């Protein structure tokens, strides 16, 4: 299995521009999570989906952030307009929906720098 | 609600020495506990997890952790540190029926030659 795939791996953009981050979860996984990691705030859960439906988006910082999951194999996190304080590493993770404690598998992350 | 506290944002040990990374949790119901490792410029990778079976859990790369309910702890240990263990380690907690993980702040492990 290829694992969770994220693209791009690095993104440098200017303030005000739209940024789209992409994630392909592991095939057969029912849950998808978007995280943000910064030095100041650590690892934060932004939103998660179950069977392509957003379940909890309470971690999304503000309306500039939006996430979609049009099908089981693809999700996007969009920031519009971007601001310097959005600079962070964004991770996508996925897991199966089974009884018991399933592991979350993380992608390699997208390192975003907003100038 | 659950919470996790990792004591020490940085831990430095000599190569070959014992590694001890501390994690304490708070949960009103039986918890499930995880340790993840993050190598530089990579995503998080599961080291081990406690799921209410054996209290001593063995993971990858020679790491193990012991669940101690009386101390609400789940400390991570390795008998002998290798240079390749240098990374950031995260403790996380969840409970049955909850699909979110509550994360600790992370501990950066530094290995001295």
């Amino acid at each position: 299995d290829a694992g969770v795939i994220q693209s791009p791996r690095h993104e440098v953009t200017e303030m005000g521009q739209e940024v789209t981050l992409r994630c392909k979860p592991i095939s057969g996984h029912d849950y998808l999570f978007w995280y943000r990691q910064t030095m100041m705030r650590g690892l934060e859960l932004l939103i998660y989906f179950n069977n392509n439906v957003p379940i909890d988006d309470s971690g999304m910082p503000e309306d500039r952030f939006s996430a979609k999951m049009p099908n089981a194999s693809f999700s996007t996190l969009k920031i519009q307009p971007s601001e310097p304080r959005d600079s962070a590493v964004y991770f996508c993770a996925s897991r199966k929906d089974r009884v018991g404690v399933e592991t979350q598998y993380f992608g390699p992350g997208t390192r975003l720098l907003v100038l | 609600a659950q919470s996790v506290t990792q004591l020490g944002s940085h831990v430095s040990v000599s190569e070959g020495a014992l590694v001890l990374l501390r994690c304490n949790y708070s949960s009103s119901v039986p918890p499930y506990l995880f340790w993840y490792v993050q190598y530089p410029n990579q995503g998080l990778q599961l080291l081990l997890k406690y799921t209410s079976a054996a209290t001593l859990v063995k993971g990858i790369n020679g790491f193990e952790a012991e669940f101690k309910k009386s101390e609400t702890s789940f400390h991570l240990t390795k008998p002998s540190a290798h240079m390749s263990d240098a990374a950031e380690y995260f403790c996380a907690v969840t409970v049955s029926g909850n699909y979110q993980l509550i994360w600790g702040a992370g501990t950066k492990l530094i290995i001295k030659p």
Side-chain angles (χ1 to χ4, degrees):
Chain A
D1 201 319
V4 176
I5 299 172
Q6 292 187 247
S7 65
R9 293 293 310 275
H10 302 273
E11 178 81 32
V12 180
T13 190
E14 293 188 346
M15 182 173 63
Q17 296 298 304
E18 177 179 296
V19 175
T20 299
L21 312 181
R22 296 172 176 81
C23 174
K24 177 179 168 57
I26 294 172
S27 177
H29 282 193
D30 307 285
Y31 281 82
L32 184 140
F33 304 81
W34 280 102
Y35 289 93
R36 178 172 68 175
Q37 186 179 39
T38 61
M39 290 288 291
M40 292 298 295
R41 300 175 68 92
L43 196 62
E44 303 174 275
L45 177 65
L46 300 178
I47 184 171
Y48 76 95
F49 296 81
N50 176 217
N51 293 325
N52 315 335
V53 176
I55 303 300
D56 185 350
D57 66 354
S58 59
M60 295 286 261
E62 48 198 274
D63 292 345
R64 297 184 297 106
F65 286 68
S66 62
K68 294 182 180 179
M69 193 165 184
N71 57 62
S73 59
F74 184 65
S75 178
T76 60
L77 178 67
K78 187 175 293 186
I79 309 172
Q80 166 63 16
S82 59
E83 296 183 3
R85 60 191 168 124
D86 302 330
S87 297
V89 182
Y90 291 82
F91 289 104
C92 176
S94 69
R95 57 157 282 177
K96 293 181 183 179
D97 182 10
R98 286 200 305 213
V99 175
V101 186
E102 288 294 329
T103 300
Q104 285 189 24
Y105 293 87
F106 281 74
T110 295
R111 191 172 296 272
L112 174 65
L113 177 61
V114 183
L115 302 173
Chain B
Q2 299 81 46
S3 67
V4 172
T5 302
Q6 291 184 242
L7 296 176
S9 60
H10 293 76
V11 170
S12 180
V13 302
S14 297
E15 191 173 19
L18 172 71
V19 175
L20 171 60
L21 304 182
R22 299 177 187 273
C23 172
N24 288 88
Y25 70 89
S26 172
S27 178
S28 57
V29 297
Y32 299 129
L33 294 155
F34 301 76
W35 276 101
Y36 278 78
V37 60
Q38 184 180 27
Y39 298 104
N41 300 315
Q42 293 187 27
L44 281 73
Q45 177 185 359
L46 181 71
L47 266 180
L48 49 81
K49 62 183 178 183
Y50 166 76
T51 59
S52 74
T55 56
L56 183 62
V57 182
K58 294 187 183 299
I60 62 172
N61 302 337
F63 284 92
E64 63 182 36
E66 187 172 8
F67 172 70
K68 292 187 177 180
K69 183 179 178 180
S70 60
E71 299 177 8
T72 61
S73 69
F74 190 57
H75 301 331
L76 182 71
T77 60
K78 182 174 180 178
S80 176
H82 295 157
M83 295 300 293
S84 60
D85 294 328
E88 189 158 18
Y89 293 79
F90 292 88
C91 183
V93 65
T94 191
V95 296
S96 178
N98 190 336
Y99 296 96
Q100 296 186 41
L101 291 176
I102 306 302
W103 296 89
T107 297
K108 193 157 291 187
L109 178 62
I110 300 161
I111 311 296
K112 297 179 291 185

